Amino acid sequence: MLDADSSAYTVHEHAAAHSVAERKALPFPWSQAVKTLAFTTAQFPLLLVALRADDRVDFTRLVAAAGTSRSQLRTAEPDLLTAEGLAPGGIPPISHRPGVPCLIDTAVVESGHPSVYCGAGSAARTLQIPPAVLARLPRAHVTLLRR
């Protein structure tokens, strides 16, 4: 999807980092780290949510943005992530699958940083990408999601 958009990005290969401590030890500025959470709803078999690494999701805002209820929102199961070719700790904020939306917290896009660092499909890869590129991708929706 990024290549089709002619977007500027870099995928960095490194030792697998599963924990926050391991992620912080990588050579990327933690202040620019973005985490992607994966959920399912009745409407979306997979819903991606991108926030700054230290932020927490506000579920009231999330369900409103997703057009669902809290009772319909579920954390994506590991087998779903595996079927999508994703690994916990390496979930990217974009999907090659049609119909997979990504809700991006406003703080990610308004950070003022030239790049953010996020998952690239596995715990051993990190995607470096300008936040404006994330915001303009198909199925991306920027909205306030953090507490």
Side-chain angles (χ1 to χ4, degrees):
M1 180 182 291
L2 292 172
D3 290 336
D5 183 61
S6 299
S7 299
Y9 71 93
T10 303
V11 175
H12 300 276
E13 302 277 341
H14 50 75
H18 298 281
S19 69
V20 171
E22 290 171 334
R23 285 292 210 199
K24 284 183 173 182
L26 294 175
F28 313 115
W30 186 250
S31 63
Q32 294 170 245
V34 171
K35 64 183 171 190
T36 304
L37 308 175
F39 297 95
T40 62
T41 72
Q43 182 181 4
F44 301 111
L46 182 60
L47 171 68
L48 302 175
V49 176
L51 301 144
R52 292 179 303 189
D54 285 334
D55 287 343
R56 296 181 55 138
V57 69
D58 180 311
F59 284 97
T60 301
R61 290 176 174 156
L62 174 56
V63 297
T68 192
S69 67
R70 183 65 178 105
S71 64
Q72 294 290 313
L73 184 73
R74 301 272 187 257
T75 300
E77 296 292 331
D79 59 333
L80 171 63
L81 297 178
T82 300
E84 292 290 325
L86 304 173
I91 302 170
I94 52 177
S95 174
H96 65 284
R97 301 250 191 221
V100 176
C102 182
L103 301 177
I104 303 170
D105 185 64
T106 55
V108 171
V109 177
E110 297 170 356
S111 68
H113 297 297
S115 294
V116 294
Y117 298 87
C118 47
S122 81
R125 290 190 304 247
T126 295
L127 173 66
Q128 177 183 355
I129 188 166
V133 170
L134 286 179
R136 76 166 189 252
L137 290 174
R139 301 183 312 274
H141 178 69
V142 179
T143 188
L144 180 62
L145 297 168
R146 70 189 175 283
R147 287 186 192 178

